[in-house]
Amino acid sequence: MSAVLEAPRAAAQGSVPIIELRGVSKRFSNPLDFAGRLVKRLGVKVREDVVHAVDGVDLSVRKGEVVGLVGESGCGKSTLGRMVAGIMPPSDGQVVWRGQDLTKLSGADAKRAKLRTQMIFQDPYASLNPRLKVAEIVGEAPQYHGLVPRGGLEAYVDDQLRRAGLDPSLKRRYPHQFSGGQRQRIGIARALAVQPDFLVCDEAVAALDVSIQAQILNLFMKLRRELDLTYLFISHDLGVVEHLSDRVVIMYLGRVVEEAPSEEVFARPNHPYTRALLAEVPRIEARKRVFAGVQGEIPSPLNPPSGCHFHPRCPFAFDRCRAERPALKQVAPGHRSACHLNDAA
Amino acid sequence: MSAVPASAAPGAPTLEVRNLRTHFLTRAGVVKAVDDVSFTVRSGKVLGLVGESGSGKSVTGFSILGLVDPPGRIVGGQILFKGQDLATLSEEAMRKLRGNRIAMIFQDPMMTLNPVLRIDTQMIETVLAHARVSREEARQRARDALGQVGIASPDERLRSYPHQFSGGMRQRVAIAIALLHKPDVIVADEPTTALDVTIQGQILAEAQKLCAQTGTALVWITHDLSVVAGLADDIAVMYAGKVVENGPVEQVLDAPLHPYTLGLIGSVPSRNRRGEPLRQIPGMTPSMLNLPAGCAFRARCPRAEARCAEPPPFAEYRPGRFARCIHPHEEAVAA
Ligand SMILES: Nc1ncnc2c1ncn2[C@@H]1O[C@H](COP(=O)(O)OP(=O)(O)OP(=O)(O)O)[C@@H](O)[C@H]1O
Ligand SMILES: Nc1ncnc2c1ncn2[C@@H]1O[C@H](COP(=O)(O)OP(=O)(O)OP(=O)(O)O)[C@@H](O)[C@H]1O
Ligand code: SF4
Ligand code: SF4
Ligand SMILES: [Mg+2]
Ligand SMILES: [Mg+2]
């Protein structure tokens, strides 16, 4: 084990969760199309499509932890990340921030909570205002929120840029004058400028080339040490998650199916979906391996399978799986999994 | 049937790209998108073509298929298909080969699929374009091809439109279309990059089966070294328009010659101890418009020296192992 991880992990033990989700769900209803509205007006009963993007999730993140969130496209990772960051209210359940319900916080407290949790997105270009210079992008929010001493903005912005690995002499430029990796650094500088202690990174390195991706991941790890940051790190890249995370949470179709310390999940995956996922991850150590693929399609979240969502693709499915949703239960210390097979054993 | 004359050299590799140069003559200057690319793919083998964004992988693929549009132009080199140079072929002759003996799979399956036509219409037309068979026979072939890529109830699926499929299924349909004529060469340009791991596994499995069963030579373009490690026989690494290293996968990944290859392998997270800083390549990929003279990797290379200001030759340092570096790594380096 590396010394780097030792300290924050020890700190994480037993401390209050920085954020806690309790039975959180998010539903989106897709408005009816024209034909749908028409027949509805004629008195025909039509159901609006409802997507259960996140379906009854419990999750807690302790101070100093890096929690990796993985799962296939559309399983609800971004939606969960937005609720954690407080920029999207849940349809059901509670988001508890340092022991307080985020939805019940007063104006000033809610604002403070929001500032201290910042989100970093996949596409650095889309998340930066193309008409603002880098200095404005980074300096705007901290100035507005009174985090900068009078007359100190210039120096403050320079510090933020330097910390994110950017040359402050470039601060009069516009986002389009930077490469993808540099833009992601601008996004990181902007997020850190409001002095957060919790970062939600949503596919933050997915758009970057491998060699640049390594630079940005290293920056995240360095900032974690220097600023004592906590991360929710959303990624579909299991290699990245394994490298970075203390704990890994795996989602399938809106639900958490497994959760465990990183080493544990990669060494002893419990849930059949996790096992299938790990088996398919391409590894650079492999040579001329035979691929198999998990059978079947990822089901539509509009019409999820009954019981355990994974049952149509699961090689171990039995009757109960089609009828009953498996609860997330402890299978080893700190290791939880939602599969009926664990009851049979 | 084949547009390639019987005179095609016997025993020649299915595809041999030699010193290919494809440039774009833009107003801002000449973009040397592909500037000395060489590799060979034999029947039933997979070549992994890897490199970072903008390094010229797709333009290499388009060049092989004769799909480079102005202001782009093949300005040098040869593309030998069973010994015959495609770069000199007429557009008419190339059209006969394309989709028939040589096919391409794109990252976005909608480059292949027409959104307003049913799948059966598209597939049957493709069959009839190159084979003199009845419509019923064409439908049969289409159905078989869908079954081959693991699409359940192909008869029903044939009557669907592309939007009725998930992304992974659309890509499998595009692959099925590429398979229709059992081509000798398939160029697959990042066909699984947008897909989930579990679906990617299905498609990689199909690709492997295809090469083994029909002897198709496959060029698999990707930026993901881990995919290449499991899938390919040989690997060609591109940097700024040039192949900088080329050789058998296990040799290149275990003992890279070129400092860039070594850097790429080193920055893969699983090659690093958990939680420790990743080895990283410093600096940025250079702009293709004003590349430095000499080795394009010079500004980022830990082994650079004065001589690197001269263009390094693409030399065979060990049997079957090529690298474009005057100071290659001598022996297996722990990457
Ligand atoms: N604003 C919205 N309105 C309607 N549906 C939405 C909205 N946002 C997300 N969804 C749906 O909710 C589900 C979960 O989406 P989400 O973006 O959270 O997935 P994800 O896991 O982040 O996927 P990806 O890996 O592709 O980013 C999807 O089916 C998506 O279509
Ligand atoms: N039509 C064009 N006009 C001018 N330059 C072009 C054109 N098409 C491609 N290029 C340039 O050619 C170079 C190689 O592009 P190419 O698409 O082959 O890269 P790639 O390796 O496939 O990258 P990616 O991984 O992002 O797909 C790039 O610098 C690109 O900007
Ligand atoms: S609950 Fe049943 S279907 Fe779901 S993962 Fe477990 S065995 Fe498979
Ligand atoms: S030629 Fe020189 S600069 Fe280029 S890769 Fe080799 S050592 Fe590095
Ligand atoms: Mg997302
Ligand atoms: Mg490309």
Side-chain angles (χ1 to χ4, degrees), chain A residues 161-295:
Chain A
L161 291 176
R162 227 174 274 122
R163 191 162 62 194
L166 284 166
D167 179 353
S169 71
L170 304 177
K171 69 184 168 189
R172 306 265 165 258
R173 296 196 186 175
Y174 293 91
H176 76 263
Q177 294 170 291
F178 292 87
S179 72
Q182 286 177 313
R183 281 181 207 141
Q184 197 53 287
R185 290 181 192 273
I186 298 170
I188 293 168
R190 177 184 58 178
L192 293 177
V194 295
Q195 302 170 13
D197 47 18
F198 185 22
L199 292 184
V200 176
C201 300
D202 189 357
E203 302 282 4
V205 296
L208 305 175
D209 280 319
V210 216
S211 69
I212 308 300
Q213 177 179 303
Q215 296 176 359
I216 300 295
L217 291 174
N218 285 345
L219 176 62
F220 280 132
M221 290 191 279
K222 174 173 150 271
L223 293 169
R224 174 196 189 182
R225 289 192 300 275
E226 289 175 358
L227 304 174
D228 197 17
L229 293 173
T230 305
Y231 288 91
L232 179 65
F233 201 91
I234 300 173
S235 176
H236 66 276
D237 187 331
L238 282 149
V240 167
V241 165
E242 179 175 15
H243 188 78
L244 226 60
S245 313
D246 302 318
R247 202 149 54 87
V248 177
V249 173
I250 292 147
M251 283 182 81
Y252 189 77
L253 229 60
R255 298 174 179 169
V256 171
V257 296
E258 185 158 7
E259 187 200 325
S262 193
E263 297 94 347
E264 170 90 1
V265 124
F266 287 97
R268 279 173 298 280
N270 174 278
H271 197 279
Y273 172 66
T274 313
R275 281 187 257 158
L277 192 65
L278 292 184
E280 288 311 315
V281 177
R283 299 215 168 255
I284 195 165
E285 294 77 20
R287 296 289 180 270
K288 261 299 186 189
R289 58 171 285 201
V290 176
F291 291 93
V294 181
Q295 285 315 299

Side-chain angles (χ1 to χ4, degrees), chain A residues 1-2 4-5 9 72-73 179 182 209-212 214-215 217-218 221 236 239-240 242-243 245 262-263 277 280-298 313, chain B residues 52-53 166 169 172 196-202 204-205 208 223 225-227 229-233 250 253-254 265 267-284 300:
Chain A
M1 165 111 7
S2 69
V4 183
L5 278 174
R9 200 175 288 163
E72 292 176 302
S73 180
S179 72
Q182 286 177 313
D209 280 319
V210 216
S211 69
I212 308 300
Q215 296 176 359
L217 291 174
N218 285 345
M221 290 191 279
H236 66 276
V240 167
E242 179 175 15
H243 188 78
S245 313
S262 193
E263 297 94 347
L277 192 65
E280 288 311 315
V281 177
R283 299 215 168 255
I284 195 165
E285 294 77 20
R287 296 289 180 270
K288 261 299 186 189
R289 58 171 285 201
V290 176
F291 291 93
V294 181
Q295 285 315 299
E297 298 298 319
I298 301 165
R313 303 173 77 190
Chain B
E52 297 186 275
S53 185
S166 69
M169 281 175 86
R172 272 185 280 165
D196 285 309
V197 186
T198 56
I199 304 297
Q200 167 171 281
Q202 292 176 350
L204 295 176
Q208 283 180 325
H223 63 274
L225 277 176
S226 308
V227 166
L231 182 71
D233 300 282
E250 61 281 5
L253 294 184
D254 291 342
I265 298 168
S267 54
V268 172
S270 69
R271 278 296 169 104
N272 291 265
R273 279 180 57 158
R274 225 176 69 75
E276 277 178 15
L278 298 163
R279 273 160 291 173
Q280 59 182 45
I281 302 177
M284 295 181 280
R300 308 174 74 185

Side-chain angles (χ1 to χ4, degrees), chain B residues 228-242:
Chain B
V228 167
L231 182 71
D233 300 282
D234 295 291
I235 183 170
V237 181
M238 287 189 74
Y239 189 79
K242 297 181 194 299

Side-chain angles (χ1 to χ4, degrees), chain A residues 209, chain B residues 24 26 31-34 51-60 62 69-72 107 189-190 221 223 238 288:
Chain A
D209 280 319
Chain B
F24 290 86
T26 70
V31 178
K32 298 179 178 176
V34 173
E52 297 186 275
S53 185
S55 58
K57 305 182 295 295
S58 296
V59 174
T60 301
F62 291 141
D69 291 325
Q107 175 167 357
D189 189 0
E190 311 243 13
I221 297 177
H223 63 274
M238 287 189 74
M288 294 294 279

Side-chain angles (χ1 to χ4, degrees), chain A residues 271-273 308-312 314-318 321 326 338-341:
Chain A
H271 197 279
Y273 172 66
C308 170
H309 283 168
F310 189 54
H311 84 250
C314 179
F316 311 107
F318 55 112
C321 308
C339 172
H340 292 313
L341 288 177

Side-chain angles (χ1 to χ4, degrees), chain A residues 210-211 284 287, chain B residues 48-52 223-226 228-229 234-240 242-268 271-272 279-282 295-298 300-303 314 317 321-325 327-329 331-335:
Chain A
V210 216
S211 69
I284 195 165
R287 296 289 180 270
Chain B
L49 186 60
V50 301
E52 297 186 275
H223 63 274
D224 191 340
L225 277 176
S226 308
V228 167
D234 295 291
I235 183 170
V237 181
M238 287 189 74
Y239 189 79
K242 297 181 194 299
V243 168
V244 296
E245 176 151 15
N246 188 344
V249 161
E250 61 281 5
Q251 292 185 30
V252 172
L253 294 184
D254 291 342
L257 293 168
H258 199 281
Y260 174 65
T261 317
L262 181 76
L264 269 190
I265 298 168
S267 54
V268 172
R271 278 296 169 104
N272 291 265
R279 273 160 291 173
Q280 59 182 45
I281 302 177
C295 177
F297 190 56
R298 195 152 43 108
R300 308 174 74 185
C301 181
R303 293 165 78 87
F314 191 56
Y317 283 95
R321 297 288 312 278
F322 293 83
R324 194 183 298 277
C325 173
H327 195 188
H329 293 281
E331 51 210 272
V333 217

